[in-house]
Amino acid sequence: MGNASVTSAAHEKVEIMADNSPKEKMTAEQLRKRGNELHDGRRFQEAVEVYSKAIMKDPSVPTFYTNRALCYLRLQRWDLVCKDCSTAIERDPNCLKAYYFMGVAFTEKGNHDEAINLLQKANDLAMKQRQSYGDEITSMIRLCRKRRWNRQEEKRISQEIDLVSQRVRYYLSRYSN
């Protein structure tokens, strides 16, 4: 009897995945949970589709946007991460995850100054809300600052090389005759 209920539950999940009609009957919260299952199974594109359906049913819930943004983050679709996070912040200006995910996306896009601002906001909110993210947020801030410094250093070295090259050309043109 126990096996029959397990088989029935497994069959129901297959039906939900294979046929869109049962999903249409699901509530936004049920869709969120299904999206979480897909995300946990590393089926990010499918999770995006399910979270999108949850958003269509109830566009006022910031969690639906941050969940979808996390999937976009895993798929490295930085602009879509930023779009969903912006919407989540419009819905809830204290949405910690939205600031964090958008900060990560800006880091990956190479916009380090904006990323640091967003990550710092996430860190401030975490402390204010007494949420423990361990060292995750501060590690990302350090990584972003390091990348920004590396980029500035590369630019400085390139400019220095250009300056030395100009001097060498000048001296060669002046004293080679």
Side-chain angles (χ1 to χ4, degrees):
M1 185 166 198
N3 286 342
S5 64
V6 170
T7 305
S8 174
H11 180 69
E12 183 181 337
K13 281 189 178 182
V14 170
E15 277 185 39
I16 289 172
M17 289 171 18
D19 181 13
N20 279 341
S21 59
K23 285 185 185 177
E24 298 304 321
K25 295 176 185 173
M26 296 173 79
T27 66
E29 181 59 22
Q30 289 170 323
L31 288 165
R32 181 193 64 80
K33 288 179 181 178
R34 179 65 186 137
N36 290 352
E37 291 171 4
L38 291 166
H39 174 272
D40 293 345
R42 304 189 60 76
R43 295 164 61 185
F44 304 123
Q45 189 57 50
E46 291 174 69
V48 163
E49 293 166 15
V50 173
Y51 290 133
S52 295
K53 289 181 180 186
I55 289 168
M56 287 190 296
K57 286 189 178 272
D58 189 353
S60 68
V61 181
T63 303
F64 299 161
Y65 294 95
T66 56
N67 286 3
R68 188 169 69 177
L70 179 58
C71 292
Y72 286 140
L73 202 61
R74 304 285 190 240
L75 295 167
Q76 299 181 359
R77 301 194 59 197
W78 315 127
D79 291 335
L80 293 172
V81 172
C82 294
K83 183 179 178 204
D84 272 358
C85 288
S86 293
T87 303
I89 291 167
E90 286 173 13
R91 306 282 190 278
D92 176 9
N94 294 314
C95 188
L96 167 66
K97 288 182 181 181
Y99 288 103
Y100 177 72
F101 295 156
M102 193 160 37
V104 172
F106 271 100
T107 299
E108 296 303 326
K109 289 171 63 170
N111 188 339
H112 300 112
D113 292 331
E114 184 63 24
I116 290 168
N117 290 338
L118 291 162
L119 293 166
Q120 190 58 57
K121 176 74 173 175
N123 196 46
D124 294 346
L125 283 170
M127 288 195 294
K128 181 180 175 184
Q129 296 172 5
R130 298 177 192 257
Q131 301 243 357
S132 177
Y133 277 80
D135 195 33
E136 192 173 347
I137 297 172
T138 53
S139 291
M140 185 54 85
I141 292 171
R142 284 191 303 274
L143 173 68
C144 192
R145 286 180 175 154
K146 181 178 180 179
R147 286 183 181 178
R148 180 179 65 181
W149 186 88
N150 286 341
R151 180 188 287 168
Q152 290 170 341
E153 186 64 7
E154 287 171 7
K155 185 177 177 182
R156 185 195 66 75
I157 290 170
S158 177
Q159 289 171 341
E160 189 174 318
I161 290 170
D162 288 346
L163 181 61
V164 169
S165 295
Q166 288 173 1
R167 286 181 180 166
V168 167
R169 282 193 300 272
Y170 171 76
Y171 287 120
L172 286 175
S173 69
R174 224 171 127 103
Y175 298 110
S176 65
N177 291 340

